[in-house]
Amino acid sequence: MSETTLYERLGGEERIRALATTIFEKHRNNGTIQTRYAASDRDDVIRLVTEFICSGTGGPQTYTGRDMLTAHRGMNISEEEFVAVLDDIM
């Protein structure tokens, strides 16, 4: 079993920020969900996704955003949109 955290294996904050940036750009270019990101503050979304991934993988960062239920309440996300997001992340 590895002694390193997933955070460390992912490359720490710098590499996770690069991953968050790639995810955001994929979402913005995905025809199924791009309208949801068109008016987004790119830097803020990337910052929050970076914090979320870092804190969830063992990094020292604290996630400062809203919980996922609150953040997505009322968005009426369709199954197609949900799958599009997952496809972009994968």
Side-chain angles (χ1 to χ4, degrees):
M1 193 83 183
S2 176
E3 301 266 338
T4 60
T5 64
L6 178 54
Y7 172 80
E8 293 167 321
R9 293 192 312 270
L10 288 172
E13 185 173 359
E14 184 179 332
R15 293 291 303 272
I16 291 171
R17 181 175 288 108
L19 174 64
T21 301
T22 298
I23 291 168
F24 181 84
E25 295 304 330
K26 285 181 170 279
H27 288 354
R28 238 205 202 150
N29 291 311
N30 184 322
T32 302
I33 56 174
Q34 67 188 156
T35 57
R36 296 220 183 242
Y37 292 86
S40 296
D41 179 331
R42 178 184 184 276
D43 293 337
D44 194 46
V45 172
I46 291 169
R47 177 184 61 80
L48 289 169
V49 171
T50 300
E51 287 177 1
F52 184 78
I53 295 171
C54 287
S55 68
T57 59
Q61 297 78 358
T62 299
Y63 175 61
T64 61
R66 297 175 291 170
D67 66 87
M68 293 299 106
L69 209 54
T70 302
H72 297 90
R73 183 173 285 127
M75 291 179 68
N76 297 316
I77 297 168
S78 70
E79 183 176 344
E80 180 183 22
E81 290 172 316
F82 183 75
V83 170
V85 166
L86 293 180
D87 284 346
D88 286 350
I89 292 170
M90 297 304 292

